[in-house]
Each structure stands twice: as structure tokens, then as C-alpha cells.
Amino acid sequence: QQLSGRIILRAEELADVVLKQGDEVRLEPSNRVALEHFTKSEVKGYYLEEVPEVTWDQVGGHERAIHLIQDAIERPLLYPELYERFGKRQLKGILLYGPPGCGKTLIAKATANMLTKSYREHFGADDVREYFMLINGPQLLNMWLGETERMVREIFAAARERAKEGHLVFIFIDEADSLLRVRGSGRALNIANTVVPQFAAEMAGLVGLEHVIVMLTSNRPDYIDPAIFRPARLDRKATI
């Protein structure tokens, strides 16, 4: 394993570990052998190890949004053969918008819990688990050139890896308008010009990949760049 111009050998414990660019390892005192592999702290920080078991019954007053999620996301997930027969594709993203405190995050957690439960029951796959990535939009913003784009890439890369491992992955981005602001507007000018295309490219990379769902929330959906709502990106909006 090459690192900073040096050859680093793997310990026996790391023989079968997949190492990728940016991963961290612990070296022994001579700095010649990698002993331990560490998960990227930034991406791991977005992952909720236990998603609360929120059910649809606990989400009161949002029947319209729940029906949209069941119709646009759950059914294609459970009956992919029917959608393929009629040339329909599974939706990859949805926007929940409404005033603060109206239950957008609660709906997202209920979606992760209930869709995973329905998937297990329908396919008899008791070993399938949800992988819920809770991301605060403003926390991704970074003044250093390219850092925000790098974090966006890492989040989607982690989501693709977990989906290939058999998880149902839910990427939940709160206050998305701060991250995906209309390009050429306000203080977000420089960041938006690069982050929006990066996010759009990552969404395009999910086409054809099953088991990854992106949910955005916003108090001001009019602040989000229109490119985010093109086909194969975020196809549905739900008022909360």
C-alpha cells in the first residue's frame, strides 16, 4: 500500500480490508506496517446507528405527505418488476418543505423505519437493515475551496457502498436550501456554483442503483436551485 511516497505493508488483520483514498490507518512504531483501519470520522458522524422505530401512526396530520411517500417510493421498492414492465423508474429523491417544527425530520425517520420493515416482510429479508444518514446542510458548508464538494462526494460514496452491502440507505439533508442555493444569488454565490453541479452529478450516479433514497427538507424551497428538481434527481415535493 503506497502512502506519501512510502511502501506500507499490511498486518495480517488488514489483509482483506478494502482501503480507499483518504482512509486512515494506525502504523507500528517503525511506520512500516499498518495495524488498524479507521472509518472516516466525517462520514461516520452522519450515520445514526439506531433509527427510532417511528411508525406512520405517530406522524399526525401529514397523511398527504405519507401517501406520496408510499406511492412514489415504497411501492416501486416493493414491486420493481411492475415498474420495469411499464418502463417506470424508481424515484431517488423527494423534498419535504414547510415551516420549522412541522415534523419533517419525524417523517424522514418514519420513512426509514417503515419502508425497511415493509421490505423485510415483503421479501422475507430479515437481515436487511436501514442505514440512515442525518445531515445538516449548513454544517457541510466550508470556506475552503473544494471541501464542501468533497464531503458531498464522501456522503454519496458511503451510501453507494452500504447499498451494495444490502442496506436500505436513506440520505436525509436538513435545511437543504443553505447547501443547494440558487446559483448566482447572495453570499452563497461561489459555493453554490460548484456544490449544486456536484450534488446533481452524485444524484445522477444513483440512477440504476437500488436501495438509496434521498430526502431533503427546507423552509424555503424557492431558494433551492431549479437544477435539483430535474428528472432523475428530486422528482417529488411534499408540503408539510
Side-chain angles (χ1 to χ4, degrees):
Q1 184 73 26
Q2 187 172 359
L3 179 64
S4 301
R6 293 180 297 163
I7 301 299
I8 306 297
L9 303 177
R10 299 181 187 224
E12 184 178 350
E13 292 78 4
L14 298 184
D16 298 325
V17 175
V18 178
L19 298 178
K20 299 183 179 180
Q21 183 178 1
D23 284 357
E24 297 180 357
V25 295
R26 180 171 64 86
L27 305 180
E28 46 80 45
S30 68
N31 294 329
R32 295 180 180 179
V33 181
L35 302 177
E36 188 175 0
H37 173 246
F38 297 97
T39 304
K40 293 181 181 179
S41 58
E42 291 179 351
V43 174
K44 187 176 180 181
Y46 300 130
Y47 165 56
L48 292 185
E49 294 189 6
E50 292 187 9
V51 179
E53 293 191 5
V54 182
T55 65
W56 295 131
D57 295 336
Q58 294 175 270
V59 183
H62 297 301
E63 289 77 11
R64 181 178 178 183
I66 293 173
H67 177 74
L68 175 62
I69 292 171
Q70 292 174 328
D71 185 58
I73 297 178
E74 183 178 36
R75 289 190 180 91
L77 183 66
L78 300 182
Y79 307 100
E81 68 284 353
L82 293 179
Y83 284 76
E84 183 178 355
R85 182 187 303 175
F86 292 98
K88 302 294 183 180
R89 55 180 174 78
Q90 179 183 349
L91 298 184
K92 292 299 181 183
I94 187 171
L95 171 70
L96 305 176
Y97 65 95
C102 63
K104 298 185 290 293
T105 304
L106 185 66
I107 291 177
K109 292 179 179 179
T111 299
N113 179 54
M114 296 303 293
L115 264 62
T116 303
K117 185 176 295 184
S118 297
Y119 187 90
R120 289 175 186 152
E121 295 175 354
H122 184 79
F123 292 102
D126 296 334
D127 57 335
V128 173
R129 293 193 58 189
E130 65 269 39
Y131 191 88
F132 191 81
M133 304 179 76
L134 179 60
I135 300 158
N136 184 274
Q139 290 181 353
L140 288 186
L141 297 177
N142 193 299
M143 64 177 290
W144 300 108
L145 182 63
E147 277 299 294
T148 300
E149 298 82 37
R150 179 184 63 80
M151 287 188 280
V152 170
R153 288 195 301 270
E154 288 186 353
I155 289 169
F156 277 87
R160 288 191 292 268
E161 288 180 11
R162 297 301 177 269
K164 291 178 181 178
E165 292 172 359
H167 291 79
L168 286 182
V169 183
F170 299 85
I171 303 176
F172 177 70
I173 303 179
D174 196 16
E175 299 184 57
D177 50 279
S178 63
L179 182 67
L180 305 172
R181 186 67 62 93
V182 175
R183 285 169 286 185
S185 64
R187 294 179 298 176
L189 170 62
N190 295 330
I191 293 179
N193 284 345
T194 54
V195 173
V196 170
Q198 181 66 56
F199 184 88
E202 296 296 341
M203 288 294 298
L206 297 181
V207 175
L209 180 65
E210 299 179 352
H211 304 160
V212 179
I213 298 167
V214 180
M215 304 184 72
L216 308 184
T217 71
S218 175
N219 304 327
R220 293 298 304 267
D222 53 312
Y223 283 3
I224 299 178
D225 195 283
I228 301 301
F229 301 110
R230 291 176 184 170
R233 295 174 188 170
L234 264 73
D235 300 81
R236 294 289 187 276
K237 301 178 184 179
T239 306
I240 303 300

